Amino acid sequence: MKIKILKKISIIILLIICLFFNMVKANTEDEEDININEILQVTSAEVDMPKTSSRIALIYDRASGEVIYEKNGYRKAKMASTTKIMTSLIVLEKGNLSDTVTVSKKAAGTGGSRLGLKTNDKITVNDLLMGLMLESGNDAAIALAEHISGGVEKFADLMNAKAKELGCTNTHFANPHGLQDENHYTTAHDMALIAQAAYQNETFRIIIGTKMYTIPPTNKHAEETVLRNHHDMLCTYHNANRKYLYPYCVGGKTGYTAAANSTLVTYAEKDGMTLICVVMDTQSPNQFIDTVNLFDYAFDNFQVLNVAENDTNYSAETTVDNGNLDNIAPFVELDKDAVIVLPKTAEFSDTSSSVEYNDSDPEIAGSITYTYAGRNVGKADIKTTGVVVEGYAFDNESTEEEEQEAVSTVQVRPIVVVLLIVAVILLGVLLFFLKRFYDNYYIIKHNRAVRRDRKDQKRRIRKKRRRRRRWR
């Protein structure tokens, strides 16, 4: 009970602090008549905007989950072999890398780009994943789907369920390889969400960063099978002159069909930033040229800032006594890994923030969303620290009594206290006037008695005088 009460008190204090600083910032802007968009926003006049030939393009910051740049990023399009990012994610979550897969006739007969599998070939899941992502083997995709789910349709159901779980809003998978199907599509933004989820898996990162891999001989292949990564920004598969190599590229996935044109998903890391670039529906080699231009634009003009290290509006000094007389610990704190993305011309203090309270997760008290120039630039969770509020050894009351006392204390409203004070004052005033009336009542009664006595005495005197006159 104490934990819940202290959690709510901490959030209330945090809301008050954030509202106070936002009000101060707003008042300052009003007084100085500042147009924040004109001063802070990165515009085409300040930097060269990226030029792209691709009909669809998007840059996504992996740490903050924010879109830095997009061109038709939410338009539905065909994804070709970039489908295999989701295929790999499902296999890594559901399968075992050391399992041996027996290749079916259907898998061996799959067309398009191939690993070269044969019916009844026996090959490990790990080798199939390497063939799927490096050689873009459609036969490997079918073999993996059948191994995990028993068939392509059931595997597609897993892919669609995962897409929904990740927040994809305009994506549908019909197969694990990306060959043409009218019911197989996505958007650049949805693909970035899928790529983000896959990149969190260490094995996936190793696979996409592998430039060359050798599959040992199998029961159907007497010799080794050498695989080379098809991503020209990572290694020289197509471009012998290395002109598309990008020093910050750490992997990705290529794709092409006649209906989809060239597609490309790429990961790059530089200066603490990990970016995901998605380009779709373009003619080769524009997918590589556009991706390089987009990465250069993002790395040259944007920065990531750690929230916990920069947010001066929030004070981690919201503390509670953890039961030791000499130790006061914070009850909540900002996620130490949370970051926001800002133009290099802006500072953390230029952002605005809003707090949202969360009562559904015991480990997350709420979250702070940051905006800059009218756009979301990131968020940070407010995490509970796990501090346990314990009673002292010399407490005489039971835990139940302490909880009841705490509830009673919290439920006393200030208005009730004020009304009680007013009632006491009014009662005092009433008693004062009653006492004065009581005292005056006896004085008045006494005066009336004196006046009656005087009148009676005067009457007696007059009677005596009359009697004397008669006797005379």
Side-chain angles (χ1 to χ4, degrees):
M1 183 65 71
K2 276 188 175 182
I3 296 295
K4 290 183 178 180
I5 293 171
L6 290 170
K7 180 178 176 180
K8 291 181 179 179
I9 292 173
S10 300
I11 295 300
I12 291 171
I13 293 172
L14 184 62
L15 283 166
I16 293 171
I17 293 172
C18 289
L19 286 172
F20 171 77
F21 278 96
N22 284 339
M23 288 173 64
V24 170
K25 186 184 293 185
N27 288 337
T28 303
E29 291 172 355
D30 289 342
E31 291 173 2
E32 297 179 3
D33 193 23
I34 296 175
N35 186 328
I36 196 72
N37 287 321
E38 292 180 0
I39 294 180
L40 301 177
Q41 190 174 13
V42 175
T43 64
S44 57
E46 297 171 335
V47 299
D48 293 330
M49 298 297 287
K51 297 178 181 179
T52 60
S53 299
S54 305
R55 290 186 176 88
I56 297 171
L58 181 140
I59 285 281
Y60 180 91
D61 176 65
R62 195 184 74 82
S64 67
E66 299 300 329
V67 174
I68 294 178
Y69 169 90
E70 64 93 11
K71 173 184 175 183
N72 300 321
Y74 301 88
R75 178 186 292 179
K76 186 171 72 174
K78 304 178 189 305
M79 58 187 116
S81 285
T82 56
T83 298
K84 291 162 185 169
I85 295 175
M86 176 63 94
T87 303
S88 296
L89 178 58
I90 298 296
V91 172
L92 289 170
E93 289 183 347
K94 305 289 185 181
N96 190 323
L97 293 176
S98 61
D99 284 352
T100 299
V101 177
T102 300
V103 178
S104 69
K105 183 178 180 180
K106 178 180 179 179
T110 306
S113 58
R114 292 173 40 80
L115 178 58
L117 299 175
K118 297 180 180 179
T119 304
N120 294 324
D121 221 335
K122 295 187 182 297
I123 184 170
T124 65
V125 169
N126 182 76
D127 290 345
L128 284 173
L129 282 172
M130 285 293 184
L132 178 78
M133 296 302 289
L134 273 64
E135 200 68 30
S136 200
N138 295 331
D139 48 356
I142 297 297
L144 287 167
E146 292 176 339
H147 174 71
I148 297 297
S149 301
V152 171
E153 291 78 11
K154 290 183 178 179
F155 190 83
D157 289 341
L158 292 178
M159 299 172 80
N160 289 319
K162 187 65 178 180
K164 183 178 181 180
E165 176 189 327
L166 296 177
C168 298
T169 57
N170 201 5
T171 293
H172 188 270
F173 292 97
N175 58 61
H177 41 57
L179 291 177
Q180 172 60 17
D181 190 302
E182 289 302 320
N183 292 319
H184 195 85
Y185 54 83
T186 189
T187 68
H189 182 261
D190 283 0
M191 181 54 69
L193 296 179
I194 296 167
Q196 152 79 324
Y199 198 75
Q200 294 176 11
N201 187 291
E202 183 180 4
T203 303
F204 178 83
R205 295 197 299 271
I206 293 172
I207 292 173
I208 64 170
T210 300
K211 298 178 180 179
M212 183 179 294
Y213 183 80
T214 301
I215 298 177
T218 69
N219 61 316
K220 293 293 181 177
H221 290 80
E223 297 182 355
E224 297 177 338
T225 302
V226 178
L227 310 178
R228 290 182 175 81
N229 199 314
H230 289 195
H231 201 308
D232 284 356
M233 292 175 62
L234 183 69
C235 59
T236 55
Y237 175 72
H238 290 113
N239 54 326
N241 60 1
R242 306 166 63 92
K243 65 178 178 179
Y244 301 126
L245 285 178
Y246 193 69
Y248 310 112
C249 176
V250 293
K253 184 68 190 77
T254 59
Y256 173 81
T257 64
N261 277 328
S262 291
T263 63
L264 186 67
V265 175
T266 311
Y267 303 88
E269 297 178 354
K270 180 184 178 184
D271 298 335
M273 293 180 72
T274 300
L275 301 179
I276 299 171
C277 182
V278 181
V279 294
M280 308 177 80
D281 194 4
T282 190
Q283 296 295 320
S284 188
N286 290 328
Q287 70 271 34
F288 300 113
I289 297 171
D290 287 351
T291 298
V292 170
N293 289 337
L294 288 167
F295 276 142
D296 285 344
Y297 163 76
F299 285 131
D300 290 346
N301 296 289
F302 292 86
Q303 60 182 329
V304 289
L305 298 176
N306 184 279
V307 173
E309 295 174 0
N310 288 277
D311 194 341
T312 57
N313 290 355
Y314 169 80
S315 173
E317 296 177 357
T318 303
T319 60
V320 294
D321 192 340
N322 68 356
N324 301 319
L325 291 173
D326 59 348
N327 189 10
I328 302 296
F331 184 71
V332 294
E333 64 182 4
L334 286 174
D335 181 0
K336 293 182 174 60
D337 297 324
V339 299
I340 64 172
V341 178
L342 286 177
K344 290 185 176 180
T345 56
E347 298 180 357
F348 194 97
S349 58
D350 297 327
T351 64
S352 298
S353 61
S354 60
V355 181
E356 182 178 356
Y357 175 66
N358 173 38
D359 199 23
S360 60
D361 189 341
E363 296 182 357
I364 304 296
S367 62
I368 305 177
T369 299
Y370 297 89
T371 58
Y372 169 78
R375 294 183 60 182
N376 288 345
V377 292
K379 65 184 296 186
D381 286 334
I382 306 167
K383 295 186 174 181
T384 55
T385 59
V387 171
V388 178
V389 183
E390 300 175 350
Y392 297 113
F394 48 80
D395 283 349
N396 294 322
E397 294 178 288
S398 66
T399 303
E400 182 177 354
E401 291 173 340
E402 289 175 351
E403 291 180 355
Q404 291 176 352
E405 181 181 352
V407 172
S408 301
T409 302
V410 173
Q411 289 179 345
V412 174
R413 298 180 179 179
I415 187 65
V416 175
V417 176
V418 173
L419 290 175
L420 286 174
I421 294 174
V422 172
V424 170
I425 293 173
L426 290 175
L427 182 60
V429 172
L430 181 61
L431 290 174
F432 172 77
F433 281 105
L434 285 174
K435 186 177 184 303
R436 288 200 61 181
F437 175 79
Y438 179 81
D439 293 338
N440 291 336
Y441 171 77
Y442 282 98
I443 293 173
I444 293 170
K445 185 177 181 181
H446 173 73
N447 291 338
R448 287 181 177 177
V450 170
R451 284 196 294 270
R452 281 197 302 269
D453 289 341
R454 287 177 180 176
K455 288 180 179 180
D456 291 341
Q457 186 178 6
K458 288 180 180 180
R459 278 197 296 268
R460 285 194 297 270
I461 292 172
R462 283 195 296 268
K463 286 180 179 180
K464 286 180 181 182
R465 287 177 179 175
R466 289 174 186 158
R467 288 172 184 172
R468 288 175 182 174
R469 289 173 183 171
R470 290 175 183 172
W471 284 107
R472 291 177 182 176

